[in-house]
Amino acid sequence: MRQIVWAVLAGLLFGAGLAVSQMANPAKVLAFLDIGAIPSGGWDPSLAVVLVGALIVTFPGFVLARRLNKPLVAERFEWPTRRDIDVRLVAGSVLFGVGWGLVGYCPGPAIASLAWGRVETVIFVLAMIAGMVIWRRTLGPKTDAPVSAR
Amino acid sequence: MDNFTPVSALIGGALIGAGIVLLMIANGRIAGVSGILGRAVQPDGPEWRWRVGFIVGLIGGAALASIAGVAPAAIEITGSLPLLIGGGLLVGFGTQLGSGCTSGHGVCGLARMSPRSLAATGVFMASGAATVFVMRHVIGG
């Protein structure tokens, strides 16, 4: 229960940040990706500043977290361990980038912008979830093992 | 660059970072939205509950910011129905295959100085920019 409460709080901050930074607005994101508009002065570098703002907080925050023995409400920190660059990483990132460029939505902003109640957002999120399910059933991890063994 | 909004971008970015740090310090988890959503809709254990909580928070946080007047009252979506469906499928499939998106690789990964996440971020930024270029300046031009 405590894990759920903290996750909701973290989500609230994250979602508010996406809204304040306007990253939940696809037109704003497409204006950043539109490097072809640089010569005409129409390029919008805001997304890069969002990334910088997020890193200014996350970098020292993670340094602090690594000095703690354990999280507040969980048994251990689940830091990613993989450092290799493989075909799946690159191919997946290429496909993700194409989808991102077609609409201007990546997963976080797409979910957060459901707050504006637009039917286009609902369609995109449902298609995104379908894409995740298709991955799981084709190239995803095998889940034949009984639940207790996982 | 009339549409450049550095102040709200910096403040919003810092809020995103605060959410990421909070999820790590409290729950010990990386706030990668594609991973959280992928496992929330296809549960493999009791952990789906905090993941759904995080997703509900994302929507609630955006709604509160908009209601409070510190975020836009409206958003602009230009994609047609086929683009929305095709784009959604590609984002869903691609982020699972590539193990992350703008939050997991782009913010959390870069903050951890992970070469894997740096590579992924460079690839999807380039791929996204190339797609917009084709759509706006090759086909649309």
Side-chain angles (χ1 to χ4, degrees):
Chain A
M1 187 63 207
R2 287 184 304 165
Q3 285 195 10
I4 302 171
V5 172
W6 283 106
V8 171
L9 289 173
L12 283 170
L13 283 168
F14 200 127
L18 288 170
V20 169
S21 65
Q22 299 185 49
M23 290 303 105
N25 183 3
K28 186 82 177 165
V29 175
L30 291 178
F32 167 78
L33 291 174
D34 189 7
I35 53 171
I38 291 176
S40 65
W43 183 54
D44 181 357
S46 301
L47 191 150
V49 178
V50 177
L51 186 57
V52 168
L55 287 173
I56 287 173
V57 175
T58 307
F59 186 85
F62 277 5
V63 170
L64 172 70
R66 285 189 189 278
R67 303 177 77 149
L68 303 174
N69 290 324
K70 57 183 281 192
L72 295 178
V73 294
E75 286 304 306
R76 60 185 168 275
F77 288 104
E78 305 272 352
W79 296 103
T81 51
R82 288 185 62 178
R83 295 179 74 81
D84 59 308
I85 298 163
D86 63 342
V87 175
R88 286 184 173 228
L89 180 85
V90 175
S93 297
V94 168
L95 295 177
F96 161 43
V98 172
W100 192 29
L102 287 178
V103 182
Y105 268 146
C106 52
I111 294 172
S113 79
L114 287 170
W116 280 269
R118 293 278 295 266
V119 67
E120 294 98 322
T121 312
V122 176
I123 292 168
F124 183 90
V125 168
L126 290 176
M128 180 169 73
I129 290 171
M132 292 175 169
V133 172
I134 292 169
W135 170 81
R136 175 67 74 90
R137 295 192 178 174
T138 54
L139 301 177
K142 296 289 174 282
T143 51
D144 299 337
V147 173
S148 59
R150 275 188 254 141
Chain B
M1 297 198 295
D2 298 340
N3 44 14
F4 185 37
T5 52
V7 176
S8 61
L10 200 61
I11 295 169
L15 283 168
I16 293 169
I20 288 171
V21 172
L22 187 62
L23 192 69
M24 181 53 77
I25 287 184
N27 289 16
R29 294 298 185 132
I30 288 286
V33 179
S34 57
I36 290 173
L37 179 64
R39 291 179 182 89
V41 297
Q42 303 168 96
D44 53 4
E47 302 240 3
W48 65 271
R49 290 175 299 187
W50 72 259
R51 293 191 171 103
V52 170
F54 182 82
I55 289 165
V56 170
L58 275 182
I59 303 169
L64 288 174
S66 183
I67 292 167
V70 293
I75 55 174
E76 187 184 344
I77 308 168
T78 51
S80 60
L81 185 63
L83 282 186
L84 291 169
I85 294 173
L89 286 169
L90 283 167
V91 169
F93 190 90
T95 52
Q96 303 303 300
L97 182 61
S99 311
C101 58
T102 14
S103 50
H105 282 314
V107 183
C108 297
L110 294 192
R112 295 186 300 111
M113 294 188 288
S114 156
R116 184 173 154 82
S117 290
L118 181 62
T121 305
V123 170
F124 63 65
M125 287 269 184
S127 167
T131 302
V132 172
F133 189 85
V134 170
M135 296 292 289
R136 291 196 172 175
H137 304 286
V138 178
I139 301 173

